[in-house]
Amino acid sequence: MSMQPQEPGEVPVETVRVARAAFPKGSLAIRVRDELGVLFTDEQFAGLFPVRGKPAWSPGRLGMVLVLQFVEGLTDRQAAEAVRARIDWKFALGLELTDPGFDFSVLSEFRDRLAGADGGRGVLDAILAAAQEKGLVAAGGKMRTDSTHVLSSARELNWLEQVGENLRAALKAVARNEPDWLSARVLPDWFKHYASRIEDSRFPKAQVKRVEVGRRIGADGMHLLRMVWADEAPVALRALPQVEVLRQVWVQHFHLVEGEVERRVPKDRPPGAKRLVNPYDPEARNSVKRDTMWLGYKVRLTETCEPDAVHLVTNVTTTVATVSDDRMAAVVHTGLAARDLLPDEHWVDTGYASSSALAAARSDHDVALYGPLRPVTVAQARGAGLYGQDAFTIDWDDQHVTCPNGITSTQWHHRRSEEQLPVIRVRFSPADCRICPRLRDCVSSPKAQRREITLRPRHEYEALHQARQLQATDEWKDRYKIRAGVEGTISQGVQACGLRRSRYHGLAKTSLQHQLTGAAVNLIRINAWLTDRPRAHTRTSPLAALGPAA
């Protein structure tokens, strides 16, 4: 398919006449076209199509169809039918009433093109650009961010299912690409064990026999890998994604012990951030947050939150499930800066707030990042108390620290923490500390002979110190209530667009789904704003309303 860009024209006269008659009060699709105009043009998607070939259906219109599809929660067939049959959609797309539309499979192909080029970000950006032009969103003001878990479209597997299905997927791929080569080398038992889905197998209940099954699968997989990497094997087999996933899984779970394939012990396996868990969604990871355990991804939504303006989603970022929130504040700010939508105040939860994030937000983007800081758990590092860290006087220029008893530190070294973050290690002399009568009150270890202090770089330390003092005030606690509203945005995304379950395999397509979800939520909210529909209040059950806090 090729693309021959066309300039978007006016809505056909007959389409306008029929749409106005059929929808005298308007509809979401009609209002969006009336108020925001043409949101997507063919030129925006020019890089996704070759210059030669059969002309494709207008990609600008397809972008609008995808967003409307998410607004109404339609399948591809239903969305294609809406383009053919619904007058308000024809109005929004600028189509003649007689336009036959397209086959539903076009939407799947178009999504593939968007996912491969991170095109979902451009869809959300186009809606935000139109909203900026209409004065519905602007840089500055307040924004808030929160994250939620996203379940993979592939189901969770137990360990035997996981390794067995990985091997079956690799055998299928090899059989599809080199059937004659595999036929001459296949082991007879492979047809019995791997011809059908592993979930249809009945694994033994006894632990000893389950271990034997695991060894058998491990040996079969190792045999296939040796075959593929043999000199006489077709080189193309090594590039198959299923074979590469099999190789990685076997490295992570098996090793050779005296020539026999054995399962690695838990401490010898890679951490969860690197461990592959499903052959059909290899980018999905297992993660846990408090009582929630899931296989999949994590999405972070940022929205405006001015009380007298429409609240629009300004940034959507999707990562694998194991990426922690404390790394994401800078990523969110970079995305907002690219859209020229940086806020003055950014309200987040504890996961995003750290000394480095607070300092970087201010220095790199001139954004005030507000969020509750994690409590200090080490007694000697807490600010309170006679020998807490705040009781020590820090001389940043001369690089030494003085304790409450007037003793000065003797060592000041720039080091890296376990997370590879820059820190400063300050140590006092054992000769000074050993004779101090308050040594045991000053150090946490009963065997320690001197006090040691770990400091962040000066700009981070001062930002952290200032933030802790600010958060102790009632005024800050009252202002922080503004962040709670972003949970309603996540709820809207979950209920209206299925935000919390991925429809597709892979991070790229899951990210596209979330960008389209953000775009759909924005159209829903703009429509509600234009029709003066009040925002929903926090729901309270009748029983909770009778409680003492009501």
Side-chain angles (χ1 to χ4, degrees):
M1 303 292 288
S2 67
M3 188 188 68
Q4 301 172 4
Q6 298 180 359
E7 290 294 327
E10 298 294 328
V11 182
V13 175
E14 186 64 11
T15 303
V16 173
R17 185 185 69 81
V18 175
R20 300 297 185 199
F23 296 90
K25 296 183 179 180
S27 71
L28 182 147
I30 292 174
R31 289 190 198 94
V32 166
R33 181 62 186 254
D34 282 340
E35 298 294 331
L36 302 182
V38 177
L39 294 176
F40 311 106
T41 65
D42 292 349
E43 288 290 349
Q44 292 176 241
F45 306 99
L48 304 181
F49 293 84
V51 295
R52 302 182 62 182
K54 183 179 178 181
W57 210 76
S58 167
R61 288 182 172 129
L62 286 176
M64 189 65 192
V65 171
L66 286 181
V67 178
L68 291 176
Q69 177 186 13
F70 271 70
V71 167
E72 301 190 18
L74 305 180
T75 65
D76 286 355
R77 289 180 184 270
Q78 290 170 333
E81 184 66 24
V83 174
R84 281 192 295 271
R86 285 180 50 177
I87 298 170
D88 58 336
W89 278 44
K90 288 184 181 293
F91 183 98
L93 298 171
L95 295 175
E96 297 282 356
L97 294 177
T98 56
D99 193 293
F102 52 83
D103 185 80
F104 73 94
S105 62
V106 171
L107 289 175
S108 177
E109 179 189 350
F110 186 58
R111 279 196 303 271
D112 287 342
R113 294 180 185 272
L114 287 176
D118 196 18
R121 194 175 302 276
V123 172
L124 178 60
D125 288 350
I127 293 177
L128 290 173
Q132 281 179 292
E133 188 175 337
K134 293 294 182 179
L136 298 176
V137 64
K142 303 179 182 67
M143 291 187 190
R144 54 196 177 194
T145 295
D146 201 6
S147 63
T148 189
H149 62 280
V150 179
L151 303 178
S152 169
S153 57
R155 75 175 184 88
E156 291 194 57
L157 306 173
N158 64 43
W159 183 74
L160 288 178
E161 289 176 329
Q162 178 190 344
V163 293
E165 195 61 31
N166 269 283
L167 178 54
R168 191 179 79 89
L171 285 169
K172 283 174 57 181
V174 173
R176 185 182 302 111
N177 287 270
E178 294 290 343
D180 296 335
W181 178 86
L182 182 61
S183 178
R185 294 164 177 79
V186 67
L187 299 181
D189 284 350
W190 287 2
F191 295 106
K192 173 184 175 182
H193 296 303
Y194 311 113
S196 59
R197 292 183 298 179
I198 297 299
E199 65 183 25
D200 296 334
S201 304
R202 291 189 176 182
F203 295 117
K205 293 183 179 180
Q207 182 62 26
V208 174
K209 293 186 177 181
R210 291 175 72 89
V211 171
E212 292 177 358
V213 172
R215 287 200 187 100
R216 185 255 299 165
I217 295 174
D220 289 344
M222 195 71 74
H223 185 72
L224 176 61
L225 291 172
R226 290 194 183 105
M227 287 167 47
V228 170
W229 260 265
D231 293 339
E232 67 275 9
V235 177
L237 292 180
R238 302 169 194 171
L240 294 176
Q242 297 87 343
V243 172
E244 174 59 21
V245 170
L246 178 71
R247 185 192 67 80
Q248 293 183 36
V249 170
W250 254 240
V251 169
Q252 292 177 357
H253 289 278
F254 296 103
H255 62 158
L256 292 175
V257 178
E258 297 181 355
E260 298 294 328
V261 179
E262 295 287 346
R263 185 183 182 185
R264 293 183 185 273
V265 296
K267 67 178 181 179
D268 196 26
R269 299 171 201 159
K274 297 182 179 180
R275 195 179 307 156
L276 303 181
V277 290
N278 194 292
Y280 304 111
D281 197 356
E283 293 176 294
R285 294 291 183 271
N286 281 317
S287 190
V288 59
K289 184 176 181 179
R290 292 188 288 272
D291 296 332
T292 303
M293 302 178 64
W294 77 98
L295 166 67
Y297 305 92
K298 188 184 288 186
V299 62
R300 296 159 182 88
L301 300 181
T302 302
E303 68 168 357
T304 58
C305 53
E306 295 293 341
D308 56 348
V310 58
H311 295 173
L312 296 183
V313 176
T314 53
N315 192 77
V316 180
T317 303
T318 307
T319 65
V320 297
T322 50
V323 175
S324 60
D325 291 340
D326 59 4
R327 306 179 186 178
M328 297 307 297
V331 176
V332 172
H333 292 155
T334 301
L336 293 172
R339 298 182 171 99
D340 194 23
L341 285 174
L342 280 171
D344 295 327
E345 298 179 2
H346 189 189
W347 295 86
V348 296
D349 67 8
T350 304
Y352 297 86
S354 64
S355 60
S356 57
L358 295 176
R362 177 61 73 185
S363 61
D364 297 344
H365 300 286
D366 197 24
V367 173
L369 184 66
Y370 295 117
L373 295 164
R374 292 185 179 92
V376 179
T377 56
V378 180
Q380 281 69 24
R382 295 195 189 110
L386 182 61
Y387 293 97
Q389 188 164 293
D390 286 355
F392 288 69
T393 303
I394 304 173
D395 189 331
W396 296 97
D397 297 327
D398 293 335
Q399 297 188 347
H400 63 71
V401 176
T402 304
C403 82
N405 295 329
I407 303 299
T408 302
S409 63
T410 57
Q411 297 183 35
W412 177 291
H413 299 295
H414 293 272
R415 296 286 186 262
R416 290 274 175 179
S417 66
E418 293 181 358
E419 295 80 18
Q420 296 304 305
L421 298 174
V423 295
I424 299 170
R425 307 285 190 195
V426 177
R427 292 177 176 175
F428 287 80
S429 170
D432 294 329
C433 292
R434 224 182 269 126
I435 60 176
C436 179
R438 305 303 298 272
L439 174 63
R440 298 277 69 91
D441 298 327
C442 189
V443 299
S444 56
S445 172
K447 297 182 179 180
Q449 298 298 310
R450 64 178 172 185
R451 178 66 183 267
E452 298 183 9
I453 297 177
T454 300
L455 303 174
R456 293 289 187 186
R458 182 173 184 175
H459 66 288
E460 293 185 15
Y461 179 89
E462 292 175 347
L464 186 66
H465 187 72
Q466 182 181 6
R468 290 198 186 279
Q469 289 182 325
L470 186 63
Q471 290 171 22
T473 64
D474 293 336
E475 179 187 359
W476 189 93
K477 295 175 182 177
D478 186 63
R479 293 183 65 203
Y480 184 69
K481 294 177 182 178
I482 194 174
R483 195 211 66 87
V486 72
E487 296 172 357
T489 301
I490 291 176
S491 178
Q492 184 178 16
V494 170
Q495 295 183 32
C497 306
L499 176 73
R500 201 167 275 154
R501 177 173 288 279
S502 176
R503 304 183 182 188
Y504 319 107
H505 291 163
L507 178 60
K509 280 194 171 183
T510 302
S511 179
L512 172 62
Q513 172 188 336
H514 295 153
Q515 298 285 350
L516 293 175
T517 297
V521 168
N522 282 348
L523 290 193
I524 293 171
R525 291 185 169 186
I526 290 173
N527 179 63
W529 182 262
L530 294 173
T531 55
D532 295 322
R533 186 184 309 162
R535 297 190 182 104
H537 296 286
T538 302
R539 289 175 293 182
T540 305
S541 71
L543 179 60
L546 297 176

